[in-house]
Amino acid sequence: MSNPAFASLIDAIRGHYRNADFIPLHAPCFNEQAKALVNDCIDTTFVSSVGQYVTRLEEEVAAFTGAKHAVAVVNGTMGLYLALKVAGVRAGDLVLTQSLTFVATANAIKMLGAEPVFIDVDADTYGLSADVLQAFLNEQATLKDGVCMHRASGRRISACVPMHTLGFCAEIDRLIDVCSAFSIPVIEDAAESLGSTLQGRHSGTFGQSGVFSFNGNKIVTTGGGGMLVTNDDALAAHAKHLSTTAKISHAWLFEHDEIAFNLRMPNLNAALGVAQMQQLPDFLREKRALAEKYRGWIETIPGLLSLREPKNSQANYWLNGAILPDLPARDAFLQQSNDAGIQTRPLWTPLHRLPIYADCLRTEMPHTEWLADRVVNLPSGVVCHG
Ligand SMILES: *Cc1c(COP(=O)(O)O)cnc(C)c1O
């Protein structure tokens, strides 16, 4: 049965997107420059991982975010893997993260043979809760010779990976304070938050390192790609070395001093990224304007709430969302909007509910469960003028 209040929101969305028959959750928008730079890669034959656009994109992301270094990689997932690897995460370790995230966050931890520990999120930031983290560490962890140990299992706790959910900044300053007291490095999963700032400082630049994704559905895309940012010179150099098969630089010899993979972004993808970075300020402006519109539409519907930018922060509004009153209402809205050709979706199924991660250590999850049962994401791509 169709709900007239939902129908009014659906009509408003359709109107914003110029009455298209199908409105995707997020679609990229390319300018003429993107075509010109990709063509330049083809014309010069520099299509692979050597080429000017890879370093140019690194420089531009570093300048935009204020990070000292940026290392371009094949995607965000492998960026997280690399960030954890250079942080010293090893097989058998525990790594703290949130359950309310895309599966890649936990998969990157597993890729190193470590185990995720799921911590509940905060109700106001939708990211890892500093209070819950503090309580967990106080109860279950101890510092031993400068190393954080999980008392019951005797395992090292070697990193913490908060995620800036949907581009809303997590309480990253408080999380770093909590982790510092236990000597735990913080790696920010900033895959969704390029353009988001907290107290004027860019997400991804608070922790030891941060990782952005340039997947096709993110605010800036390179087709597939990612970027690790850090202010640590040695860490950046090590990450770049490990992303290029740990080959010792030499004009003709092939010598490698670690077992490492080819994770470097190809020039073709980077060319797309350089053109996209020019559009990023416009994307951010348009997304903020759309978020304002959504707030108006959503808050006229009784029982619906919009997602709120946390205090002292600027979200990139990568994906807009609405909070429905309960799970049946959420599902009714998803049905009605998708039937009408408006692509909407729930948040990710919390990872602790997936059979592949059900056995992991975790805290209680009241905020994770509450949000997962109620939040829907709404079409948020920019209206593209080409
Ligand atoms: C998109 C995303 C990733 C992974 O990025 P890919 O570039 O697709 O590998 C990781 N974490 C979160 C939270 C994401 O949204």
Side-chain angles (χ1 to χ4, degrees):
M1 232 186 312
S2 106
N3 176 331
F6 294 169
S8 74
L9 175 55
I10 288 166
D11 286 345
I13 296 170
R14 200 191 301 291
H16 177 80
Y17 287 100
R18 301 168 166 184
N19 301 309
D21 289 336
F22 175 74
I23 296 158
L25 191 70
H26 203 282
C29 176
F30 300 109
N31 57 9
E32 286 303 317
Q33 182 75 345
K35 293 173 197 165
L37 299 189
V38 169
N39 267 326
D40 183 56
C41 293
I42 296 170
D43 292 343
T44 60
T45 77
F46 282 97
V47 294
S48 198
S49 294
V50 174
Q52 59 155 330
Y53 295 115
V54 188
T55 24
R56 226 172 108 185
L57 183 61
E58 289 177 334
E59 286 162 9
E60 286 186 14
V61 171
F64 184 84
T65 59
K68 193 165 174 199
H69 303 282
V71 179
V73 289
V74 288
N75 57 49
T77 310
M78 296 316 290
L80 287 169
Y81 160 83
L82 207 52
L84 289 161
K85 175 101 180 160
V86 297
V89 173
R90 304 189 301 246
D93 288 354
L94 299 178
V95 174
L96 307 158
T97 191
Q98 55 203 65
S99 174
L100 195 70
T101 183
F102 178 55
V103 73
T105 317
N107 288 354
I109 294 165
K110 285 293 262 192
M111 216 179 288
L112 285 153
E115 285 289 322
V117 176
F118 298 119
I119 308 292
D120 198 14
V121 293
D122 178 76
D124 297 322
T125 66
Y126 324 117
L128 200 78
S129 161
D131 287 337
V132 179
L133 181 67
Q134 176 84 68
F136 175 84
L137 289 171
N138 286 347
E139 275 167 29
Q140 303 208 21
T142 183
L143 257 184
K144 210 166 149 192
D145 304 324
V147 179
C148 184
M149 303 297 293
H150 182 246
R151 281 201 222 99
S153 66
R155 293 177 179 224
R156 290 201 318 157
I157 300 178
S158 55
C160 176
V161 190
M163 196 275 278
H164 301 287
T165 306
L166 307 175
F168 295 102
C169 284
E171 43 182 351
I172 192 69
D173 44 351
R174 291 193 59 215
L175 288 166
I176 287 173
D177 284 347
V178 171
C179 286
S180 296
F182 284 88
S183 280
I184 300 169
V186 172
I187 292 154
E188 298 174 65
D189 183 342
E192 304 180 354
S193 65
L194 183 64
S196 306
T197 58
L198 180 66
Q199 289 149 14
R201 187 164 158 190
H202 204 288
S203 67
T205 67
F206 290 79
Q208 181 187 78
S209 64
V211 177
F212 300 105
S213 165
F214 302 128
N215 191 26
N217 62 351
K218 297 299 194 322
I219 187 165
V220 155
T221 186
T222 59
M227 192 71 76
L228 183 158
V229 294
T230 181
N231 292 326
D232 184 314
D233 299 345
L235 213 85
H238 195 201
K240 182 165 180 197
H241 189 57
L242 288 180
S243 73
T244 50
T245 65
K247 184 178 179 298
I248 300 166
S249 182
H250 190 281
W252 57 82
L253 286 179
F254 281 90
E255 290 187 351
H256 308 258
D257 58 3
E258 284 185 85
I259 294 171
F261 307 105
N262 171 19
L263 301 177
R264 190 138 178 93
M265 181 190 287
N267 203 41
L268 260 179
N269 300 81
L272 211 50
V274 168
Q276 286 266 290
M277 285 302 288
Q278 293 179 346
Q279 291 175 278
L280 179 55
D282 289 337
F283 291 166
L284 289 167
R285 209 172 308 115
E286 268 205 54
K287 282 172 165 294
R288 176 161 294 273
L290 176 58
E292 287 285 313
K293 281 188 168 188
Y294 266 125
R295 222 183 319 281
W297 299 331
I298 289 165
E299 292 179 358
T300 57
I301 303 175
L304 260 66
L305 298 168
S306 52
L307 295 176
R308 289 279 173 174
E309 213 167 30
K311 265 198 303 277
N312 302 320
S313 75
Q314 289 244 314
N316 65 357
Y317 286 107
W318 168 56
L319 280 187
N320 286 282
I323 306 176
L324 278 292
D326 52 29
L327 186 60
R330 182 200 84 170
D331 288 341
F333 178 80
L334 291 170
Q335 187 74 57
Q336 193 172 329
S337 49
N338 282 285
D339 283 351
I342 310 282
Q343 192 178 30
T344 60
R345 63 177 198 203
L347 289 175
W348 321 271
T349 298
L351 301 185
H352 72 276
R353 282 198 210 150
L354 298 180
I356 50 174
Y357 286 117
D359 295 337
C360 292
L361 203 60
R362 65 176 177 88
T363 66
E364 298 287 303
M365 293 284 164
H367 296 137
T368 297
E369 302 275 5
W370 194 91
L371 290 163
D373 286 350
R374 288 167 181 78
V375 173
V376 293
N377 284 129
L378 303 164
S380 300
V382 301
V383 176
C384 196
H385 308 285

